[in-house]
Amino acid sequence: MVLKKDRNSVDNGQGKSENDDTSLLEKKNLENKTKFKTPPLEVSKENDNENGFLDFGFNQSILNSLRNKGYKNPTPIQKAAIPELMLGRDLLGQAQTGTGKTAAFALPLIEKLSDNKELNAKVLVMTPTRELATQVAESFKSYSSESSDFKTVAIYGGTDYRNQISALKRKVDVVVGTPGRIMDHIRQGTFKINGINCLVLDEADEMLNMGFLEDIEWIIDQLPKNKQMVLFSATMPNEIKNIAKKYLNDPAEILIKSVKKETQLISQKFLYVQRHHKLDALKRILELNNEGVIIFVRTKLLTTSIAEALENSGHTVAVLNGDIPQNQRENTVDRLKKGFIDILVATDVAARGLDVERIKLVVNYDFPFDKETYTHRIGRTGRAGRSGEAILFVNQRERHFLRNLENSTRTKIEEINIPSNKIINEKRMEKLIENVNESSLAKEEYEENKALIIDVLDNLKEKYSMDDSNIAMAAINLVIGNKAFFVNEDDSWIHKQNNTDRNRSNRNGNIRIRNSNRRNNYQNDSFETYKFNFGKFDGVRVANIISSICNSTNINGRSIGKIQIFNDYSLVDLPRDLHRETKNKLKKIKVRN
Ligand code: AMP
């Protein structure tokens, strides 16, 4: 089986790309070289009034749902992938979330299933996490919302089997799920797979990182041989290429060079802060930007303690962590989308795949474990072509990680200072003036209340002999309220911290590590070995252990260290700072039931 054929490299259409300097002519040549029946790549010439999806031959129900969603033109990955998938070809796509890849595979699959009358599922989509499974299932549901009798079911761990089983018993077109739960349902016979004629592996590299390779292969082996296969991955390591070689049949290859462009829309910054000043620094950052913020922390315990502290400071906050039941998580995301809450404090696993357009700021309160986690985290902002900001908190011992991160992402992360009292007070003043000014411009409400306002003014003038300027001053005083308007806490620690930290960097901006053993000590110190009483004799494999740990706790697959499986026990290296609750959950972990 040969892997390769067409390599179509396009930008993600949501900002400047590495190819932006490519002239239109070159773009056209590129397009002519491909055998895709895609509409022109000249995104700039597309007419807003026309529906760019008409050319694909979708049925009216799909076009209606796209119109409801406000999609006018396909993104580059959609232009490239949809015609191939409509022809039934296998596809290997390198693209990240945010490029529109879900619609790229969902729309042609919905189209192909438009007359499906069979009871059992035809399409299986595998995702690494339940969050992504929910999100992909939601996308299928919304793209098929105008198609009658189209059913998508999501099956993932951490939730009750019963609802999933009864949903699978009824008519199903598409099943979206995580590997562990899919395997369980196949084994129990509650997921009938004999009708599956298309398999999509979404975020395949992530599934590999989480140790799902064997599970994926097991599932593929159970499915009917004759099927269309689609594999999407943000990166293309050799393991993914090998899977593609093994299972995909002459696939169309699509590369969306999006890593750079996506993050280009995100302005990446860091600030030095000592551990005990982190919460203070966070509150100061939120003074400048507090609408649509996600704060990433390492433990569940921290999510709640930080959320409480922020709530006490007057913010509307919610928490997203592995302890929160799935339906509540969905509800939280919904409230964030609608603006009922402004700030989300989350752990990595809980926020994976989260897609909320109004996120303007991502705060990396705790340093991410690796580059991929960082990229995923900051990718929660800068969605759908909007710009965003990401701020990374760095403490003394994380300095060299910062440099590694800059090197591996090939991005310069700009240093900023923790906002001082002066900056915050200027901002508060600016905001007050803006608010008063905006209130006079908010014509509708102003007009509505005008008669009332005039009445109040007349009363004040007659009854209390106040003049215009007295009244204006009193009204502004009312807006200010009775809390201290300016911050005047001692902020000398901020200046000291900035100065000392700068002194620690040499002139080239490189960090001098005074004790070169520190890094090793830190890395060794950050793990603790846990013993579990299951092993080879129980048929346990590395992937089973990783998926059980990830599904039962908020521990991220990437933060799991060495795993050694012996005959009747296993040793697993896990982060040292685990919360007691997590440890309790670990005690109860079941592997392969
Ligand atoms: P994805 O890469 O699938 O996670 O999609 C990223 C975001 O882009 C989601 O919010 C989608 O709803 C949105 N999106 C996908 N395709 C289009 C399109 N053609 N026009 C506008 N928005 C889109």
Side-chain angles (χ1 to χ4, degrees):
M1 203 176 299
V2 202
L3 170 76
K4 56 115 243 46
K5 252 282 141 104
D6 317 307
R7 181 168 281 280
N8 195 14
S9 165
V10 286
D11 74 13
N12 76 349
Q14 295 181 345
K16 276 176 97 43
S17 76
E18 283 168 345
N19 292 347
D20 272 349
D21 293 335
T22 322
S23 68
L24 213 55
L25 190 66
E26 279 172 315
K27 281 188 179 170
K28 277 186 159 175
N29 286 340
L30 177 73
E31 180 203 338
N32 290 338
K33 271 187 224 155
T34 71
K35 65 188 271 295
F36 298 142
K37 289 177 192 161
T38 55
L41 279 172
E42 284 175 52
V43 179
S44 57
K45 284 199 174 174
E46 280 164 345
N47 183 344
D48 262 4
N49 298 322
E50 278 176 21
N51 185 336
F53 284 96
L54 288 176
D55 296 345
F56 296 125
F58 290 141
N59 63 55
Q60 197 55 45
S61 319
I62 295 182
L63 293 175
N64 289 348
S65 58
L66 290 176
R67 199 191 45 226
N68 294 345
K69 285 194 74 80
Y71 293 6
K72 287 188 178 136
N73 292 303
T75 66
I77 194 161
Q78 292 162 4
K79 286 180 184 179
I82 292 172
E84 296 298 333
L85 293 177
M86 295 279 270
L87 289 173
R89 272 190 87 178
D90 283 3
L91 188 131
L92 174 63
Q94 184 172 353
Q96 299 195 329
T97 48
T99 51
K101 74 174 159 59
T102 317
F105 61 79
L107 296 173
L109 297 179
I110 295 170
E111 169 65 40
K112 289 174 83 183
L113 288 173
S114 54
D115 296 325
N116 182 33
K117 296 275 178 289
E118 284 175 43
L119 202 63
N120 294 336
K122 292 280 192 190
V123 171
L124 171 62
V125 183
M126 250 194 274
T127 69
T129 61
R130 52 186 176 187
E131 281 69 29
L132 188 62
T134 321
Q135 195 187 311
V136 170
E138 283 308 315
S139 298
F140 267 98
K141 284 177 192 167
S142 72
Y143 299 138
S144 62
S145 59
E146 301 284 314
S147 315
S148 60
D149 202 26
F150 191 97
K151 287 281 174 315
T152 305
V153 173
I155 54 175
Y156 41 77
T159 43
D160 202 90
Y161 282 86
R162 278 169 297 185
N163 289 343
Q164 295 175 3
I165 292 173
S166 64
L168 289 169
K169 269 189 192 151
R170 294 190 287 268
K171 192 223 174 202
V172 189
D173 295 277
V174 176
V175 170
V176 185
T178 48
R181 189 54 70 100
I182 293 174
M183 285 171 82
D184 288 348
H185 279 292
I186 294 178
R187 281 206 191 97
Q188 292 167 15
T190 41
F191 174 21
K192 304 269 182 304
I193 49 173
N194 49 340
I196 298 288
N197 60 18
C198 177
L199 172 68
V200 181
L201 301 177
D202 197 9
E203 296 201 357
D205 50 353
E206 195 54 38
M207 287 201 266
L208 241 60
N209 284 336
M210 292 177 75
F212 285 138
L213 178 61
E214 283 177 60
D215 294 355
I216 294 171
E217 298 207 303
W218 184 89
I219 295 168
I220 296 178
D221 287 343
Q222 311 305 308
L223 298 175
K225 291 277 161 296
N226 200 2
K227 63 187 168 305
Q228 183 177 23
M229 284 221 21
V230 181
L231 189 158
F232 274 109
S233 190
T235 55
M236 261 317 143
N238 283 337
E239 293 97 317
I240 299 289
K241 287 186 187 147
N242 290 339
I243 296 182
K245 265 187 206 151
K246 195 164 162 191
Y247 296 107
L248 272 58
N249 182 14
D250 189 18
E253 277 192 60
I254 296 171
L255 166 67
I256 299 295
K257 287 185 182 169
S258 62
V259 186
K260 254 218 147 146
K261 287 151 281 144
E262 256 191 23
T263 47
Q264 260 176 8
L265 291 171
I266 304 165
S267 103
Q268 299 178 53
K269 295 163 182 169
F270 78 90
L271 52 82
Y272 285 121
V273 58
Q274 286 168 9
R275 225 180 244 229
H276 57 282
H277 283 309
K278 275 168 108 173
L279 186 58
D280 254 344
L282 177 66
K283 286 184 186 166
R284 285 172 178 268
I285 292 289
L286 294 176
E287 282 277 347
L288 309 189
N289 191 350
N290 56 23
E291 282 172 25
V293 182
I294 298 193
I295 299 155
F296 281 100
V297 299
R298 214 171 269 170
T299 63
K300 284 187 243 182
L301 183 69
L302 258 183
T303 55
T304 43
S305 64
I306 290 179
E308 262 169 38
L310 297 181
E311 215 158 44
N312 290 339
S313 308
H315 296 288
T316 50
V317 195
V319 158
L320 213 61
N321 67 37
D323 277 351
I324 314 257
Q326 187 60 28
N327 55 354
Q328 201 177 319
R329 288 196 212 181
E330 284 158 20
N331 184 270
T332 300
V333 173
D334 198 46
R335 289 195 307 135
L336 180 69
K337 278 185 183 161
K338 291 182 176 146
F340 295 133
I341 46 176
D342 286 322
I343 299 173
L344 200 61
V345 190
T347 53
D348 287 306
V349 175
R352 205 162 269 286
L354 190 108
D355 182 17
V356 179
E357 284 179 12
R358 70 182 274 263
I359 299 298
K360 291 201 197 98
L361 170 67
V362 170
V363 179
N364 287 283
Y365 188 88
D366 286 325
F367 208 94
F369 272 104
D370 51 28
K371 169 185 116 184
E372 282 77 19
T373 309
Y374 176 74
T375 314
H376 257 286
R377 284 182 179 185
I378 68 168
R380 298 313 103 213
T381 183
R383 311 290 290 170
R386 288 176 168 77
S387 60
E389 191 181 3
I391 299 178
L392 173 65
F393 283 15
V394 181
N395 68 32
Q396 205 176 321
R397 63 181 194 174
E398 288 162 341
R399 287 151 190 277
H400 59 279
F401 293 142
L402 171 68
R403 237 180 357 139
N404 290 347
L405 186 66
E406 286 190 319
N407 289 340
S408 60
T409 54
R410 294 204 206 107
T411 317
K412 181 93 194 102
I413 305 179
E414 182 202 339
E415 182 180 351
I416 55 165
N417 289 333
I418 300 166
S420 62
N421 288 357
K422 184 170 176 282
I423 304 278
I424 291 176
N425 290 338
E426 278 170 9
K427 177 77 187 183
R428 286 188 178 185
M429 186 71 172
E430 198 182 291
K431 210 162 173 193
L432 175 65
I433 294 170
E434 237 173 60
N435 283 348
V436 175
N437 182 43
E438 265 175 24
S439 156
S440 78
L441 297 173
K443 290 276 184 308
E444 234 172 76
E445 290 156 37
Y446 192 61
E447 288 303 322
E448 254 175 43
N449 294 332
K450 207 165 179 177
L452 169 69
I453 294 169
I454 291 171
D455 209 16
V456 173
L457 281 177
D458 288 347
N459 257 296
L460 288 169
K461 283 179 185 168
E462 270 172 36
K463 243 184 175 169
Y464 300 100
S465 319
M466 290 173 84
D467 62 18
D468 286 350
S469 94
N470 288 150
I471 295 171
M473 280 168 64
I476 292 172
N477 193 33
L478 208 62
V479 175
I480 293 172
N482 47 15
K483 276 207 314 212
F485 184 74
F486 289 121
V487 226
N488 58 5
E489 301 150 13
D490 179 16
D491 68 351
S492 52
W493 60 275
I494 295 175
H495 306 291
K496 266 191 228 141
Q497 179 146 311
N498 290 335
N499 291 338
T500 355
D501 283 319
R502 224 145 270 130
N503 290 341
R504 285 204 186 95
S505 307
N506 71 16
R507 254 184 320 137
N508 300 324
N510 294 330
I511 313 299
R512 194 155 35 96
I513 300 168
R514 274 186 284 183
N515 173 3
S516 60
N517 285 330
R518 176 184 279 283
R519 177 168 32 187
N520 293 333
N521 287 342
Y522 172 67
Q523 282 180 343
N524 294 337
D525 276 358
S526 60
F527 282 113
E528 218 167 12
T529 304
Y530 287 71
K531 185 175 174 185
F532 293 90
N533 62 356
F534 39 72
K536 275 187 203 150
F537 288 162
D538 305 295
V540 163
R541 290 173 296 140
V542 169
N544 303 134
I545 297 182
I546 297 178
S547 64
S548 296
I549 294 177
C550 294
N551 282 331
S552 318
T553 68
N554 72 332
I555 299 174
N556 182 336
R558 284 213 196 80
S559 57
I560 300 176
K562 197 161 70 176
I563 298 181
Q564 301 168 74
I565 305 180
F566 299 94
N567 287 345
D568 50 7
Y569 70 96
S570 307
L571 298 179
V572 183
D573 284 358
L574 294 172
R576 184 169 286 280
D577 57 358
L578 293 181
H579 183 243
R580 207 180 47 222
E581 261 175 60
T582 310
K583 288 185 181 171
N584 286 340
K585 286 195 172 155
L586 284 172
K587 280 187 197 154
K588 292 179 202 147
I589 265 185
K590 279 190 178 176
V591 173
R592 301 191 64 193
N593 289 322

